[in-house]
């Protein structure tokens, strides 16, 4: 049973500092595959070139993070080769490990999967018909190369060091979380007080409270009709959005889906991006702030931003004309004709149907809209 | 005509009422608000300290990110709720996930014509990695799931459907109920499913199976293959990469897909 992962690491033999330098042989631009029994590398350009190592040959694997000019790597430490091993890419090597260099990502997932396979050791339970070397794992009394013991010790030290760093981070994180939890409790108690004395709390205080919740990432337990869960921040954001979106909306016929807006705005910002919730909360305030845009939610749940001047119901009239000219149209066809996204084209046709101008023909070939002759020809 | 509520007298009365209210119940809340404000400042300092020591850890270590997110969830805090939140501002977690959200949307849009808006988490992961380029930070599948959960707020119909061992990501507002999901899970093995498959595995009647399959066709998630041997096959392009990676090598798969 083969399970391949389509990543593109390279295998290269490079010496560790202090080791005797060996001839550096480069195998790059290949695909690394992981099965339950083997690690397989296949040259991307020359398909004849293919190498494999049984997983049973692996003592230990470790990660090397990427750095400037360095790609992320997995170092695979191996048992000494059994005497009957076939010839490999090198006559011999002073090193007892290979390095897999991930030039184009995939290292994290691959390391995870390889670790899993190493833990599960499924090759021990599954008989394989092909004849490749299988090492039945460490056998008692087996002679180990001296180099391996030294390496294992180094690795153990390094692991302890990393563990220490991680555990320090976790410790600090836990302490931080305790303090954060206190904030959550305090906010709940305040929220209860506000609920009990609804109307006695000033607008100002509520706004302050909401901004505290926003900073901490605590969900707002109190809903006020005026601003939804918006805060001063969202009000400012709404005004900014009105400025940023005016031109793009005009270019796109006065209407854009909220997903498009999210991508547009965040791509423009580059950093200090908006969360999806930030965007939604700001858009909910557009109408209340009397800005020239508004948020609209269609029956399907699709959310859009429209220019105030945009009248979707009027667009429906022109949609009807277009459909009548062509006899009938699907959302895709209509979208192409008019130059809209399929998502919004579909919403417009559905609205036209809701208003009684169009009829649908729903079959396995797709959803097609026709002018509603029941209405026009009575 | 005597108008009420306007004039200096009315304003003074209002101020008096407010003062009285303040005295009574809201003094307590005001106190607590002041307390919260102070504690917030302290927390911000603590967080800054944490960030200066461990910000890298979060950026580079996906497992640590998972732990961090889980701990936040346990105490009732959402570090990704707002870009203006402390967590986002100081730890930089926000930008990481929000940008990932943009990349996910773009990938789904680009592939929608092919798979109807349904894609395996694995294919999405690969495509996102490709798009991010060589020098960008690596992301894990867990990161993708968290980013997608946030995207649901945009009302786009993003959904996460569990199938054996992994997830299908839905990016169009198609109505998928339990029946549809179960059939998708069944189809995951071979990339296609037939009415007989459904009847055998799920013990449904023909009509129920047909309705589900027709719905998947209508939503553009399935393709009908009338030339398959035996009976009609319903193929799910969203599941194709899984199929390929099981039977065809990476190279051939790459050549086969458009």
């Amino acid at each position: 049973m083969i399970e391949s992962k389509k990543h593109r690491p390279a295998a290269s033999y490079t010496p560790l500092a202090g080791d005797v330098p060996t001839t550096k042989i480069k195998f790059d631009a290949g695909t690394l595959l992981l099965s339950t029994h083997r690690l397989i590398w296949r040259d991307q350009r020359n398909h004849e070139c293919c190498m494999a190592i049984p997983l049973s040959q692996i003592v230990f694997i470790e990660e090397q993070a990427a750095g400037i000019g360095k790609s992320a790597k997995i170092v695979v430490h191996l048992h000494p080769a059994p005497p009957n091993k076939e010839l490999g890419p090198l006559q011999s090597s002073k090193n007892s490990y290979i390095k897999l260099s991930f030039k184009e990502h995939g290292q994290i997932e691959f390391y995870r999967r390889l670790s899993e396979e190493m833990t599960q050791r499924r090759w021990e339970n599954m008989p394989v018909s092909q004849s490749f070397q299988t090492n039945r794992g460490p056998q008692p009394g087996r002679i180990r190369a001296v180099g391996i013991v030294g390496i294992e010790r180094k690795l153990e030290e390094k692991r302890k060091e990393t563990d220490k760093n991680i555990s320090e981070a976790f410790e600090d994180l836990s302490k931080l979380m305790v303090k954060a939890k206190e904030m959550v409790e305090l906010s709940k108690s305040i929220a209860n007080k506000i609920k009990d004395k609804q109307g006695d709390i000033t607008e100002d205080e509520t706004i302050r409270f909401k901004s505290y919740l926003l900073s901490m990432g605590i969900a707002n337990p109190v809903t006020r009709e005026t601003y939804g869960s918006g805060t001063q921040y969202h009000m400012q954001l709404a005004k900014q959005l009105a400025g940023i979106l005016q031109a793009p909306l005009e270019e796109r016929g006065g209407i854009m889906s909220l997903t498009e807006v999210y991508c547009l705005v965040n791509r423009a910002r580059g950093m200090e991006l908006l969360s999806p919730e930030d965007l939604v909360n700001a858009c909910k305030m557009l109408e209340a702030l009397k800005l020239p845009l508004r948020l609209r939610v269609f029956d399907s749940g699709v959310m859009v931003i429209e220019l105030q001047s945009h009248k979707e119901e009027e667009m429906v009239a022109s949609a009807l004309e277009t459909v009548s000219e062509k006899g009938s149209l699907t959302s895709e066809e209509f979208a192409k004709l008019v130059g809209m996204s399929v998502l919004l084209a579909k919403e417009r046709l559905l609205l036209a149907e809701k208003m009684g101008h169009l009829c649908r023909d729903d079959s396995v070939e797709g959803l097609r809209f026709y002018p509603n002759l029941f209405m026009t020809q009575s | 005509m005597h108008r009420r509520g306007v004039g200096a007298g009315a304003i003074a009365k209002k101020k008096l009422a407010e003062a009285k209210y303040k005295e009574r119940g809201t003094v307590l809340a005001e106190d607590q608000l002041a307390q919260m404000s102070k504690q917030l400042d302290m927390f911000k300092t603590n967080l800054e300290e944490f960030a200066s020591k461990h910000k890298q850890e979060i950026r580079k270590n996906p497992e640590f990110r998972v732990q961090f997110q889980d701990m936040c969830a346990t105490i009732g805090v959402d570090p990704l709720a707002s870009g203006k939140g402390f967590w986002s501002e100081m730890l930089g977690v926000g930008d990481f996930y929000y940008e990932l959200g943009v990349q996910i949307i773009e990938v789904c849009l680009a592939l929608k014509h092919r798979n109807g808006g349904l894609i395996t988490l694995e294919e999405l992961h690969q495509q996102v990695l490709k798009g991010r380029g060589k020098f960008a930070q690596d992301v894990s599948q867990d990161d993708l799931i968290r980013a997608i959960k946030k995207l649901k707020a945009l009302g786009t119909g993003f959904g996460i459907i569990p199938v054996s061992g992994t997830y299908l990501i839905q990016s169009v507002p198609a109505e998928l109920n339990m029946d549809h999901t179960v059939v998708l899970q069944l189809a995951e093995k071979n990339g296609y499913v037939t009415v007989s498959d459904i009847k055998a595995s799920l013990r449904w009647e023909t009509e129920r199976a047909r309705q589900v399959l027709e719905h998947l066709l209508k939503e553009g998630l399935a393709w009908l293959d009338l030339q398959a041997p035996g009976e009609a096959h319903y193929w799910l392009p969203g599941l194709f990469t899984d199929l390929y990676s099981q039977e065809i090598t990476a190279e051939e798969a790459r050549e086969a897909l458009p």
Side-chain angles (χ1 to χ4, degrees):
Chain A
M1 177 179 47
I2 297 275
E3 195 191 294
S4 26
K5 306 288 164 235
K6 292 197 284 290
H7 302 290
R8 269 168 286 193
S12 63
Y13 296 75
T14 31
L16 277 175
D19 285 346
V20 177
T22 59
T23 325
K24 191 167 168 179
I25 297 205
K26 254 202 159 181
F27 291 91
D28 55 10
T31 309
L32 193 65
L33 302 164
L34 174 67
S35 82
T36 51
H37 289 65
R38 297 180 292 171
L39 202 57
I40 305 166
W41 185 87
R42 187 184 202 179
D43 194 323
Q44 214 181 314
R45 290 182 286 255
N46 172 18
H47 289 201
E48 301 294 310
C49 177
C50 194
M51 309 185 252
I53 283 187
L55 294 183
S56 51
Q57 279 292 107
I58 299 178
V59 178
F60 179 69
I61 57 173
E62 59 164 337
E63 297 182 87
Q64 276 184 3
I68 302 173
K70 288 193 300 175
S71 51
K73 294 185 178 59
I74 297 179
V75 184
V76 182
H77 296 268
L78 305 169
H79 288 298
N84 57 336
K85 178 185 166 302
E86 288 171 11
L87 275 181
L90 287 184
Q91 283 277 355
S92 68
S93 171
K94 288 283 191 310
N95 299 307
S96 58
Y97 59 85
I98 57 171
K99 282 194 184 181
L100 307 170
S101 169
F102 289 76
K103 296 241 163 70
E104 292 182 30
H105 298 301
Q107 186 258 357
I108 294 178
E109 276 301 319
F110 202 88
Y111 181 78
R112 187 170 74 82
R113 302 292 183 128
L114 185 52
S115 304
E116 263 175 43
E117 292 300 332
M118 293 302 301
T119 314
Q120 290 180 19
R121 302 180 77 89
R122 288 192 273 181
W123 65 84
E124 285 174 357
N125 307 326
M126 290 167 154
V128 182
S129 53
Q130 291 139 319
S131 56
F132 52 81
Q133 288 80 39
T134 43
N135 210 327
R136 295 220 164 258
Q139 286 144 13
R142 197 162 64 90
I143 302 165
R144 287 168 135 211
V146 171
I148 294 227
V149 170
I151 290 173
E152 282 188 338
R153 203 184 315 128
K154 250 196 264 178
L155 291 174
E156 186 59 38
E157 277 171 25
K158 188 168 171 230
R159 218 180 328 172
K160 284 206 184 120
E161 179 70 37
T162 318
D163 279 350
K164 196 175 95 150
N165 288 341
I166 300 270
S167 56
E168 193 193 320
F170 274 130
E171 227 182 86
D172 288 346
L173 184 63
S174 305
K175 288 191 201 143
L176 198 66
M177 287 298 167
V178 166
K179 301 206 172 79
K181 178 123 207 246
E182 286 168 17
M183 303 291 297
V184 175
E185 295 306 324
L186 184 55
S187 72
K188 279 195 198 149
S189 140
I190 296 178
N192 283 331
K193 293 229 161 48
I194 293 183
K195 245 195 290 192
D196 290 342
K197 297 173 194 337
Q198 193 96 23
D200 292 17
I201 289 282
T202 67
E203 197 76 15
D204 204 44
E205 284 167 341
T206 314
I207 290 180
R208 265 173 68 200
F209 181 52
K210 281 201 229 166
S211 78
Y212 296 161
L213 295 178
L214 185 76
S215 299
M216 284 300 299
I218 300 171
N220 190 343
V222 182
T223 43
R224 290 277 286 223
E225 265 132 13
T226 333
Y227 297 110
S229 48
T231 65
Q232 292 279 32
Y233 168 62
H234 294 118
M235 261 169 52
Q236 284 167 10
L237 197 48
K239 293 179 189 157
Q240 273 178 32
L241 287 172
I244 300 171
L245 295 174
Q246 184 77 25
L249 277 169
E250 281 168 8
E251 281 168 32
R252 289 165 178 72
I255 185 170
M256 280 173 79
S257 77
L258 210 56
T259 342
E260 284 177 88
V261 173
Y262 177 77
C263 290
L264 191 109
V265 171
N266 273 342
R267 281 262 177 247
R269 282 171 86 109
M271 25 185 274
E272 289 181 15
L273 304 182
L274 300 183
S275 75
E277 277 146 270
D278 285 336
L279 183 61
V280 173
N281 287 331
C283 290
K284 282 186 180 162
M285 297 173 102
L286 288 170
E287 199 131 31
L289 292 173
K290 306 221 187 311
L291 293 163
L293 330 170
R294 64 167 166 249
L295 174 69
R296 180 175 182 161
V297 185
F298 288 117
D299 292 342
S300 61
V302 169
M303 294 165 86
V304 298
I305 300 294
E306 293 180 319
L307 288 172
Q308 283 285 2
S309 57
H310 179 86
K311 306 269 184 284
E312 187 65 11
E313 280 72 8
E314 282 170 17
M315 304 307 289
V316 160
S318 89
L320 173 58
E321 270 181 45
T322 315
V323 174
S324 305
E325 267 173 47
K326 299 286 175 184
S328 72
L329 288 173
T330 63
S331 314
E332 289 80 13
E333 291 164 356
F334 180 64
K336 222 171 180 177
L337 267 175
V338 177
M340 285 177 88
S341 71
V342 178
L343 184 79
L344 295 181
K346 187 169 182 189
E347 289 302 326
R348 185 165 293 171
L349 294 175
L350 287 173
L351 185 60
E353 182 193 29
K354 192 172 172 187
M355 290 168 68
H357 298 303
L358 294 178
C359 268
R360 68 165 61 190
D361 174 22
D362 209 352
S363 72
V364 290
E365 278 157 22
L367 179 58
R368 190 165 277 278
F369 290 91
Y370 291 79
N372 184 1
L373 298 174
F374 295 108
M375 282 261 284
T376 55
Q377 298 175 359
S378 44
Chain B
M1 204 154 30
H2 183 64
R3 284 199 324 213
R4 292 174 169 225
V6 296
I11 294 173
K13 245 197 239 173
K14 190 160 176 248
K15 281 200 171 161
L16 184 59
E18 270 187 348
K20 279 206 180 139
Y21 282 138
K22 271 206 170 236
E23 261 186 343
R24 264 189 285 140
T26 62
V27 166
L28 283 168
E30 173 63 49
D31 267 356
Q32 282 196 307
L33 269 181
Q35 184 190 354
M36 188 166 186
S37 171
K38 242 193 288 175
Q39 273 189 258
L40 211 64
D41 283 338
M42 265 189 350
F43 184 80
K44 194 172 174 193
T45 316
N46 289 328
L47 188 55
E48 272 170 347
E49 215 189 294
F50 180 84
S52 69
K53 280 203 273 176
H54 305 296
K55 188 170 175 175
Q56 291 292 68
E57 209 59 61
I58 294 210
R59 277 201 330 120
K60 291 197 169 162
N61 189 337
E63 277 98 33
F64 193 66
R65 276 200 294 276
V66 171
Q67 289 286 355
F68 168 73
Q69 296 271 21
D70 285 347
M71 283 171 119
C72 286
T74 308
I75 62 169
V77 158
D78 182 1
L80 300 181
S82 172
K84 198 81 177 125
F86 287 162
W87 309 97
S88 181
E89 285 188 327
M90 274 173 262
L91 293 178
V93 270
D95 278 10
F96 176 79
Y97 285 101
Y98 307 148
E99 186 183 9
L100 194 51
V102 172
Q103 290 161 346
I104 291 170
I105 291 172
E106 289 176 344
V107 165
C108 288
L109 254 164
L111 297 177
K112 192 168 72 154
H113 68 280
R114 205 212 302 162
N115 57 32
L118 200 65
I119 188 172
T120 59
L121 183 59
E122 275 165 357
E123 186 179 2
L124 179 62
H125 189 209
Q126 282 173 24
Q127 298 284 359
V128 165
L129 286 177
K130 242 198 282 183
R132 282 168 76 91
K134 290 190 197 187
F135 300 107
Q137 217 180 316
D138 208 348
V139 300
S140 69
Q141 287 184 358
D142 181 83
D143 291 328
L144 289 178
I145 295 277
R146 289 188 198 273
I148 293 170
K149 284 190 177 154
K150 282 288 137 194
L151 288 178
K152 287 190 182 203
L154 297 175
T156 46
F158 265 96
I160 303 175
I161 303 167
V163 294
S164 50
T166 179
Y167 297 96
L168 284 179
I169 308 301
Q170 183 190 346
S171 60
V172 289
E175 294 276 339
L176 291 182
N177 60 29
M178 283 298 294
D179 274 8
H180 304 128
T181 312
V182 154
V183 167
L184 285 174
Q185 289 166 345
L186 189 59
E188 208 241 344
K189 216 180 346 148
N190 297 319
Y192 71 87
V193 77
T194 63
V195 172
S196 310
D197 287 339
I198 296 177
K199 286 169 75 170
S201 303
L202 304 174
R203 300 190 205 291
W204 288 358
E205 282 145 25
T206 311
E207 190 50 40
R208 185 175 176 187
R210 282 237 183 84
Q211 275 192 21
V212 167
L213 293 171
E214 270 190 24
H215 183 82
L216 293 176
L217 278 178
K218 281 186 201 172
E219 294 292 350
L221 300 174
W223 295 349
L224 181 59
D225 176 11
L226 294 169
Q227 293 175 337
E231 62 181 302
H233 283 28
Y234 293 77
W235 292 87
L236 285 124
L239 303 175
F240 277 1
T241 35
D242 257 26
L243 171 68
Y244 276 106
S245 67
Q246 274 168 14
E247 292 176 347
I248 304 178
T249 63
E251 186 62 73
E252 292 162 54
R254 229 177 292 125
E255 280 168 356
L257 294 172

PDB file of all heavy atoms in Angstrom, chain B residues 154-172:
ATOM      1  N   LEU B 154     -17.837  35.555   6.965  1.00  0.00           N
ATOM      2  CA  LEU B 154     -18.104  36.345   5.766  1.00  0.00           C
ATOM      3  C   LEU B 154     -19.337  35.881   5.011  1.00  0.00           C
ATOM      4  O   LEU B 154     -19.666  36.402   3.963  1.00  0.00           O
ATOM      5  CB  LEU B 154     -16.894  36.311   4.822  1.00  0.00           C
ATOM      6  CG  LEU B 154     -15.601  36.915   5.366  1.00  0.00           C
ATOM      7  CD1 LEU B 154     -14.473  36.695   4.371  1.00  0.00           C
ATOM      8  CD2 LEU B 154     -15.793  38.389   5.630  1.00  0.00           C
ATOM      9  N   GLY B 155     -20.009  34.858   5.532  1.00  0.00           N
ATOM     10  CA  GLY B 155     -21.255  34.414   4.908  1.00  0.00           C
ATOM     11  C   GLY B 155     -21.076  33.819   3.540  1.00  0.00           C
ATOM     12  O   GLY B 155     -21.958  33.875   2.711  1.00  0.00           O
ATOM     13  N   THR B 156     -19.914  33.261   3.265  1.00  0.00           N
ATOM     14  CA  THR B 156     -19.673  32.751   1.915  1.00  0.00           C
ATOM     15  C   THR B 156     -20.022  31.296   1.749  1.00  0.00           C
ATOM     16  O   THR B 156     -19.846  30.747   0.688  1.00  0.00           O
ATOM     17  CB  THR B 156     -18.182  32.860   1.576  1.00  0.00           C
ATOM     18  OG1 THR B 156     -17.458  32.374   2.690  1.00  0.00           O
ATOM     19  CG2 THR B 156     -17.814  34.275   1.277  1.00  0.00           C
ATOM     20  N   GLY B 157     -20.452  30.671   2.774  1.00  0.00           N
ATOM     21  CA  GLY B 157     -20.742  29.259   2.633  1.00  0.00           C
ATOM     22  C   GLY B 157     -19.526  28.384   2.799  1.00  0.00           C
ATOM     23  O   GLY B 157     -19.477  27.280   2.294  1.00  0.00           O
ATOM     24  N   PHE B 158     -18.505  28.857   3.513  1.00  0.00           N
ATOM     25  CA  PHE B 158     -17.373  27.979   3.785  1.00  0.00           C
ATOM     26  C   PHE B 158     -17.798  26.909   4.773  1.00  0.00           C
ATOM     27  O   PHE B 158     -18.347  27.203   5.815  1.00  0.00           O
ATOM     28  CB  PHE B 158     -16.201  28.784   4.376  1.00  0.00           C
ATOM     29  CG  PHE B 158     -15.217  29.205   3.331  1.00  0.00           C
ATOM     30  CD1 PHE B 158     -15.290  30.465   2.757  1.00  0.00           C
ATOM     31  CD2 PHE B 158     -14.227  28.335   2.906  1.00  0.00           C
ATOM     32  CE1 PHE B 158     -14.394  30.845   1.771  1.00  0.00           C
ATOM     33  CE2 PHE B 158     -13.319  28.716   1.922  1.00  0.00           C
ATOM     34  CZ  PHE B 158     -13.402  29.963   1.356  1.00  0.00           C
ATOM     35  N   GLY B 159     -17.509  25.654   4.420  1.00  0.00           N
ATOM     36  CA  GLY B 159     -17.870  24.569   5.299  1.00  0.00           C
ATOM     37  C   GLY B 159     -16.744  23.568   5.399  1.00  0.00           C
ATOM     38  O   GLY B 159     -15.900  23.466   4.500  1.00  0.00           O
ATOM     39  N   ILE B 160     -16.717  22.832   6.503  1.00  0.00           N
ATOM     40  CA  ILE B 160     -15.687  21.815   6.706  1.00  0.00           C
ATOM     41  C   ILE B 160     -16.390  20.488   6.922  1.00  0.00           C
ATOM     42  O   ILE B 160     -17.126  20.320   7.892  1.00  0.00           O
ATOM     43  CB  ILE B 160     -14.821  22.168   7.938  1.00  0.00           C
ATOM     44  CG1 ILE B 160     -14.203  23.553   7.751  1.00  0.00           C
ATOM     45  CG2 ILE B 160     -13.737  21.129   8.126  1.00  0.00           C
ATOM     46  CD1 ILE B 160     -13.443  24.052   8.948  1.00  0.00           C
ATOM     47  N   ILE B 161     -16.184  19.540   6.009  1.00  0.00           N
ATOM     48  CA  ILE B 161     -16.885  18.259   6.065  1.00  0.00           C
ATOM     49  C   ILE B 161     -15.891  17.153   6.374  1.00  0.00           C
ATOM     50  O   ILE B 161     -14.954  16.932   5.600  1.00  0.00           O
ATOM     51  CB  ILE B 161     -17.565  17.958   4.716  1.00  0.00           C
ATOM     52  CG1 ILE B 161     -18.520  19.093   4.346  1.00  0.00           C
ATOM     53  CG2 ILE B 161     -18.307  16.632   4.767  1.00  0.00           C
ATOM     54  CD1 ILE B 161     -18.988  19.034   2.920  1.00  0.00           C
ATOM     55  N   PRO B 162     -16.061  16.452   7.490  1.00  0.00           N
ATOM     56  CA  PRO B 162     -15.136  15.363   7.796  1.00  0.00           C
ATOM     57  C   PRO B 162     -15.389  14.159   6.902  1.00  0.00           C
ATOM     58  O   PRO B 162     -16.531  13.742   6.738  1.00  0.00           O
ATOM     59  CB  PRO B 162     -15.439  15.032   9.256  1.00  0.00           C
ATOM     60  CG  PRO B 162     -16.802  15.549   9.508  1.00  0.00           C
ATOM     61  CD  PRO B 162     -17.081  16.631   8.526  1.00  0.00           C
ATOM     62  N   VAL B 163     -14.315  13.652   6.281  1.00  0.00           N
ATOM     63  CA  VAL B 163     -14.380  12.357   5.604  1.00  0.00           C
ATOM     64  C   VAL B 163     -13.201  11.546   6.118  1.00  0.00           C
ATOM     65  O   VAL B 163     -12.285  12.114   6.669  1.00  0.00           O
ATOM     66  CB  VAL B 163     -14.298  12.495   4.062  1.00  0.00           C
ATOM     67  CG1 VAL B 163     -15.503  13.207   3.531  1.00  0.00           C
ATOM     68  CG2 VAL B 163     -13.032  13.197   3.649  1.00  0.00           C
ATOM     69  N   SER B 164     -13.245  10.229   5.893  1.00  0.00           N
ATOM     70  CA  SER B 164     -12.294   9.340   6.563  1.00  0.00           C
ATOM     71  C   SER B 164     -10.895   9.929   6.730  1.00  0.00           C
ATOM     72  O   SER B 164     -10.135  10.036   5.792  1.00  0.00           O
ATOM     73  CB  SER B 164     -12.185   8.029   5.790  1.00  0.00           C
ATOM     74  OG  SER B 164     -11.961   8.310   4.424  1.00  0.00           O
ATOM     75  N   GLY B 165     -10.564  10.321   7.954  1.00  0.00           N
ATOM     76  CA  GLY B 165      -9.214  10.764   8.253  1.00  0.00           C
ATOM     77  C   GLY B 165      -8.859  12.176   7.838  1.00  0.00           C
ATOM     78  O   GLY B 165      -7.864  12.712   8.268  1.00  0.00           O
ATOM     79  N   THR B 166      -9.672  12.784   6.970  1.00  0.00           N
ATOM     80  CA  THR B 166      -9.310  14.153   6.581  1.00  0.00           C
ATOM     81  C   THR B 166     -10.587  15.005   6.477  1.00  0.00           C
ATOM     82  O   THR B 166     -11.597  14.664   7.058  1.00  0.00           O
ATOM     83  CB  THR B 166      -8.507  14.153   5.272  1.00  0.00           C
ATOM     84  OG1 THR B 166      -8.203  15.510   4.914  1.00  0.00           O
ATOM     85  CG2 THR B 166      -9.282  13.526   4.133  1.00  0.00           C
ATOM     86  N   TYR B 167     -10.509  16.098   5.757  1.00  0.00           N
ATOM     87  CA  TYR B 167     -11.665  16.972   5.619  1.00  0.00           C
ATOM     88  C   TYR B 167     -11.843  17.409   4.188  1.00  0.00           C
ATOM     89  O   TYR B 167     -10.882  17.542   3.440  1.00  0.00           O
ATOM     90  CB  TYR B 167     -11.483  18.240   6.480  1.00  0.00           C
ATOM     91  CG  TYR B 167     -11.402  17.986   7.951  1.00  0.00           C
ATOM     92  CD1 TYR B 167     -10.186  17.882   8.584  1.00  0.00           C
ATOM     93  CD2 TYR B 167     -12.574  17.844   8.712  1.00  0.00           C
ATOM     94  CE1 TYR B 167     -10.110  17.644   9.945  1.00  0.00           C
ATOM     95  CE2 TYR B 167     -12.501  17.609  10.067  1.00  0.00           C
ATOM     96  CZ  TYR B 167     -11.261  17.500  10.679  1.00  0.00           C
ATOM     97  OH  TYR B 167     -11.194  17.266  12.016  1.00  0.00           O
ATOM     98  N   LEU B 168     -13.123  17.641   3.833  1.00  0.00           N
ATOM     99  CA  LEU B 168     -13.427  18.293   2.570  1.00  0.00           C
ATOM    100  C   LEU B 168     -13.779  19.738   2.890  1.00  0.00           C
ATOM    101  O   LEU B 168     -14.497  19.998   3.847  1.00  0.00           O
ATOM    102  CB  LEU B 168     -14.625  17.633   1.893  1.00  0.00           C
ATOM    103  CG  LEU B 168     -14.375  16.296   1.203  1.00  0.00           C
ATOM    104  CD1 LEU B 168     -15.672  15.778   0.614  1.00  0.00           C
ATOM    105  CD2 LEU B 168     -13.346  16.451   0.094  1.00  0.00           C
ATOM    106  N   ILE B 169     -13.279  20.660   2.090  1.00  0.00           N
ATOM    107  CA  ILE B 169     -13.582  22.068   2.309  1.00  0.00           C
ATOM    108  C   ILE B 169     -14.548  22.522   1.240  1.00  0.00           C
ATOM    109  O   ILE B 169     -14.284  22.397   0.039  1.00  0.00           O
ATOM    110  CB  ILE B 169     -12.295  22.919   2.240  1.00  0.00           C
ATOM    111  CG1 ILE B 169     -11.226  22.348   3.171  1.00  0.00           C
ATOM    112  CG2 ILE B 169     -12.608  24.374   2.583  1.00  0.00           C
ATOM    113  CD1 ILE B 169     -11.617  22.279   4.608  1.00  0.00           C
ATOM    114  N   GLN B 170     -15.676  23.061   1.680  1.00  0.00           N
ATOM    115  CA  GLN B 170     -16.688  23.570   0.770  1.00  0.00           C
ATOM    116  C   GLN B 170     -16.555  25.073   0.732  1.00  0.00           C
ATOM    117  O   GLN B 170     -16.474  25.708   1.782  1.00  0.00           O
ATOM    118  CB  GLN B 170     -18.055  23.169   1.312  1.00  0.00           C
ATOM    119  CG  GLN B 170     -19.219  23.563   0.454  1.00  0.00           C
ATOM    120  CD  GLN B 170     -20.529  23.345   1.197  1.00  0.00           C
ATOM    121  OE1 GLN B 170     -20.561  22.684   2.222  1.00  0.00           O
ATOM    122  NE2 GLN B 170     -21.593  23.895   0.687  1.00  0.00           N
ATOM    123  N   SER B 171     -16.531  25.647  -0.465  1.00  0.00           N
ATOM    124  CA  SER B 171     -16.342  27.098  -0.533  1.00  0.00           C
ATOM    125  C   SER B 171     -17.450  27.804  -1.287  1.00  0.00           C
ATOM    126  O   SER B 171     -17.317  28.963  -1.635  1.00  0.00           O
ATOM    127  CB  SER B 171     -14.996  27.412  -1.182  1.00  0.00           C
ATOM    128  OG  SER B 171     -14.958  26.875  -2.485  1.00  0.00           O
ATOM    129  N   VAL B 172     -18.518  27.125  -1.595  1.00  0.00           N
ATOM    130  CA  VAL B 172     -19.659  27.781  -2.219  1.00  0.00           C
ATOM    131  C   VAL B 172     -20.891  27.521  -1.381  1.00  0.00           C
ATOM    132  O   VAL B 172     -20.979  26.485  -0.726  1.00  0.00           O
ATOM    133  CB  VAL B 172     -19.925  27.269  -3.653  1.00  0.00           C
ATOM    134  CG1 VAL B 172     -18.854  27.737  -4.585  1.00  0.00           C
ATOM    135  CG2 VAL B 172     -20.031  25.758  -3.660  1.00  0.00           C
TER     136      VAL B 172
END
